[in-house]
Amino acid sequence: FMYKKNGRFDRVCMKTPIYLDSTSELSLQAQIRQKVIDAIADGVFPVGSRIPSSRRLSDDLGIARNTVVLAYEQLLAEGYLVSRQRSGIYVSEDLSRVHVGKQAVKSAPKGPSIWSQRIARRVHHTRSFAAPAQWQAFPYPFIEGQFDDTLYPIKEWREASKAALSVGQINEWAGESGVADDPLLIEQIRTKVLPKRGIRADADEILITLGTMHALNIVSELLVQPGTRVAVEEPGLPQVRDLVANRGGALWHQPIDNDGVIVDERLDRSEIIFVTPSHQTPSGVTLINERREQLVQKANELDQIIVEDDFEFEANYLNRPQPALKSIDTQGRVIYISCLSKVLSPGLRIGFMVGDAELIAQARKVLQLQVRHSPYNNQRTAALFIQMGHYDTFTLSLHRTFEQRWIALRRAVNYFLLPYVEVSRAQGGSSLWLRIADDIDPGYLVTEAAKQGVLVEPMHDYFATSGVEGNYIRLGVTSIEEHEIKQGVERLRDVIHSLSSGAVETLDQYDGDLLEGHQIESAITNKQMVCPIAYDDLCSINIISGGKLDGRAGAAGDDADQGQWWIEGDYWCRQWSRWAWGEVGRYRVVTTQDGTVIKLFDEKGRLIDQGLLRAISEGDAELSHDQTQISRNWTQVSQPTGTTEQTD
Amino acid sequence: FMYKKNGRFDRVCMKTPIYLDSTSELSLQAQIRQKVIDAIADGVFPVGSRIPSSRRLSDDLGIARNTVVLAYEQLLAEGYLVSRQRSGIYVSEDLSRVHVGKQAVKSAPKGPSIWSQRIARRVHHTRSFAAPAQWQAFPYPFIEGQFDDTLYPIKEWREASKAALSVGQINEWAGESGVADDPLLIEQIRTKVLPKRGIRADADEILITLGTMHALNIVSELLVQPGTRVAVEEPGLPQVRDLVANRGGALWHQPIDNDGVIVDERLDRSEIIFVTPSHQTPSGVTLINERREQLVQKANELDQIIVEDDFEFEANYLNRPQPALKSIDTQGRVIYISCLSKVLSPGLRIGFMVGDAELIAQARKVLQLQVRHSPYNNQRTAALFIQMGHYDTFTLSLHRTFEQRWIALRRAVNYFLLPYVEVSRAQGGSSLWLRIADDIDPGYLVTEAAKQGVLVEPMHDYFATSGVEGNYIRLGVTSIEEHEIKQGVERLRDVIHSLSSGAVETLDQYDGDLLEGHQIESAITNKQMVCPIAYDDLCSINIISGGKLDGRAGAAGDDADQGQWWIEGDYWCRQWSRWAWGEVGRYRVVTTQDGTVIKLFDEKGRLIDQGLLRAISEGDAELSHDQTQISRNWTQVSQPTGTTEQTD
């Protein structure tokens, strides 16, 4: 008798509830043992009943009798079964001493719920966007904070995990009495992790938490009471607002701009300030040095507390990372919160909090009343992981991977999305934050994109105040492999394009003159085309007679490339050596009547690129790419992302 | 050059900061890799600097050059090091991009603390007794809830852990988006764990927590607000009182007796009742069936909520376990809380909560704002541990081990401590709760016992009200192996004896007549000696002429033993076949003048045993052991342990 399970045929025992699963990784013997235990638990083999003989079971299943005998022997040794001479093998009566019998199992109560009116306090809990549980099934998941499975240091974590489960180690962590964290993890964080952020702390200034959210929760429990004035970033993490609101705190939403949170007199009334200096959540911008110093100085003068959430410090690709605020705090006013989750997978929940010893002692009491302590096995595994050097290795490798992905993302956004979005001036981080057209509903876009296999996140949950200008989505690179990024962004462009009817120029509806082949040649030869690019820098392309292209990008023109151009019919064709993935691009060309603005449309009529045109001297060997001068004309391309209206 | 470290001589490299640790479990290659990483992190090998050649390092350390070469190759591949042709090996410049340099490290702030006046809310946190961190170093640790290292299912947990870290599994749990618990663990608890407690629940009625304390915390967060009337058991878990007090709830302390918490009209005003029916914390008594039904019925009538903390359900040795209160709840009023920690080690922090789906949904929001979710790696490992059958196996084996230990403890307490303590009528559980003399300070006793290597716990932290009668200590068996129990209790007796001067009779100070050898013989021959024993049952010993002993114990006389007796000088000697470990006991005998009470003192003059004497018919073949009749005379031996005064 065969029946199909998960698309495979498995051997089934007709006379007993035992079947073998051919897809299982367990040995036959282990499977039999487990199935017998299941059958006992389910009451199929009641306590005290006789079970099939090994001969019969092996015949039924068509396997070697010895396999069954060995499984039964193990179950006998474990006390599940007892053997009675000349009678057979029985389910042990002892089992009834630890199990309440099946007859006691009641159905779930069916009466009306008594809870609707009851729950004392409806918890503030902003419904925020959550990635679908099956996000890994999507081909293009741009979900910030989720890690794709190529990233886990599985081998290294296994090694640390195995070491933590060695007899010597297990006796150390399992016997901890719950009053302290694992001293080995504290030591590793103190000596290997914090110095990278410029922070020096003693062991009693560190508390292990279950991630950064947990640390934020504990800080709120300790410091926020009804009426406490708390400043948060706008936009910012909705959960931080929830935590403060749940404790009755009075929120102030401080706007951000391209240099991070704005430090001005609007912060003066606040007693506590929550900030994300390394990479502002959710915009990704980095707080500049000048403001860091202002912030700490202001806190010293006004007796304020700063809570520094530094969850993404590893991820600054473009600049040397800034030291933490905590490192310039001389009065113990900064509570520093970070985690190992970015490195060790968020599922593990390992975070920490650094602050004044007195504060940490109180925080530990709150934590003990919540969860007693963070699981010791994970603490010890993380400690060994760091001690073995894997943390450093993996941080470095993650940094490189995310850098490559982020650059790929920026390039793809630049190529495909430029006419449709504005990009915030993020310096690294693992995401880009895009402003889409005002008439596109971000929630609808997210849903439509998901239908095409592209997962992006809407940003409106991050805004607390109503006067948000613009609609934003975020594309993260922690969850998508580099080689999928280009196509993912291209598909996203298609979705946005289909929702943008009329808002963005197309070949059906354009402003200017559509050029024919010979017109193109004379319009562009020996001209410099200056284009905004997605990330706030400019790009200049010298279009030289004879079909040569010379391009510079970046503030210092430090990204350069060469290429070729030619005319095919009414199309301007170009191909870079590296830019645009070295692929041939074919464009229809539109210019304004004065010939100073040029627009390129692809073969489907979609706007791909636009720029200024200006003449350059023919035959000039050193063709000028004067970025500074050009920049002045384009400063309005990327808008500040903050808002100013408050709903305090 | 050799220097001594941890009592061993290790090879040290003089010219580099690399030394090899001969005690390390790591391979030489792995050690070199790690030491180089440490040296980079410590700034000993600065970023960009040249490191010693493999030849030099291998020479310095006196090891094969190839070992160093392989370690360097790994570091090169990992990006720590870069090789420059004909120049050497250098620390990668890339490292500065992810690490803030050493120069940024600041000293800890030295100013006065700003925190003393600041922390908004001093947390209610009863200082409760905590086992010393080094409890495993004590020879006789009777610490309830700590597990000695023979108990961990290390092999099985490792197997489940390894399976959870397989590529397929890791991708499942690591990619969870944090909005739900591990469905596999929910399913295992639903189908394998809850049915043993008579509970049937759907998946949306279960929440995974970090242990029972966490579940209690979440329930308090949800249901207790200022003024909410909450009943707790007295004595009871201090942390539950703290949780309620921190939320501003009004506490009522309901007394317990030998049948568990008293169910009467004093509970009527309460809106929420926290109970520990399986084994009352800390007394260990089990709530009888009648009261269980009363409690649930009362809750239905008065619209009350019951929080059932069932953390020790596996541990009832004497009776078949009672189904949970939750199993007789038809209106969804019982919130059931339990954990897998007793089985999987408390260090792992895996608990769960079962309740109405609406309540669980709200509870999940609270949990998400605290810790997002319980660590998924532990959830999945626990799920696989249960699925593989290890949970059942281990529960059973733990049950047997604790049963044996607990019986050994009871026997030793009976033999050594009977004159000094009263024992609560615990039915199983993994501890005994002892009342010591009123004039012995339990804290002092605990300290003095610890000096003798015996760890016991004082119980006063469990009492909230001031009118506690008596001083209590607890002896648990989860942390001490069976063969250590007898000697541990004997040592404890010595400590108690030394603190009990005058309170307990000794041969220096006794009441009655001290008998000489020939007087003993006539006083006891053909008599029945009826003794209380430590755990509420009685024991009767028939002392038969010709030197035979016939003993019965237990309510139904179901524990019987035979032995011999004889006189040596002025000592009555006796030896049982099993009782008193089959050892010879030598006692001086004191009787009252009417000959009805007998007291036995050991060779050091300490009171060992006392009982009633009555005549039996010489030569009676079936010597009577009429327990029922005797019991009436001894009902006062074990006092109810509850108190009635309230400090609400």
Side-chain angles (χ1 to χ4, degrees), chain A residues 33 80 97 100 106 135 149 158 165 171 175 196 200 214 327 347 370 376-378 388 392-393 403, chain B residues 33 80 97 100 106 135 149 158 165 171 175 196 200 214 327 347 370 376-378 392-393 403:
Chain A
R33 174 176 166 281
Y80 281 100
R97 301 175 67 190
V100 172
K106 299 269 164 134
W135 65 266
D149 52 37
R158 265 201 215 119
L165 289 171
N171 288 340
K196 290 178 192 159
R200 183 191 170 110
H214 191 203
S327 74
Q370 285 180 342
Y376 285 135
N377 65 327
N378 281 351
M388 289 169 171
D392 284 335
T393 308
E403 177 176 26
Chain B
R33 174 177 167 281
Y80 281 100
R97 301 176 66 190
V100 172
K106 298 269 165 136
W135 66 266
D149 51 38
R158 264 199 215 121
L165 290 172
N171 289 339
K196 291 178 191 160
R200 184 190 169 110
H214 191 202
S327 75
Q370 284 180 342
Y376 285 135
N377 65 328
N378 281 350
D392 284 335
T393 309
E403 178 177 25

Side-chain angles (χ1 to χ4, degrees), chain A residues 467-541:
Chain A
V468 185
E469 260 184 67
N471 296 324
Y472 297 89
I473 58 168
R474 182 169 63 180
L475 274 66
V477 294
T478 59
S479 51
I480 185 165
E481 289 188 63
E482 188 182 349
H483 65 272
E484 306 284 8
I485 288 173
K486 179 189 162 199
Q487 200 165 359
V489 173
E490 188 175 5
R491 284 216 197 172
L492 180 64
R493 188 271 316 268
D494 294 346
V495 175
I496 295 179
H497 182 80
S498 71
L499 300 178
S500 306
S501 56
V504 176
E505 287 178 69
T506 65
L507 264 190
D508 296 332
Q509 190 181 7
Y510 61 88
D511 209 16
D513 301 325
L514 180 62
L515 307 188
E516 292 173 6
H518 64 96
Q519 294 173 309
I520 296 173
E521 182 149 9
S522 65
I524 64 173
T525 304
N526 290 330
K527 293 279 173 66
Q528 187 175 54
M529 178 175 173
V530 181
C531 319
I533 55 179
Y535 33 94
D536 217 28
D537 294 329
L538 289 173
C539 167
S540 60
I541 300 167

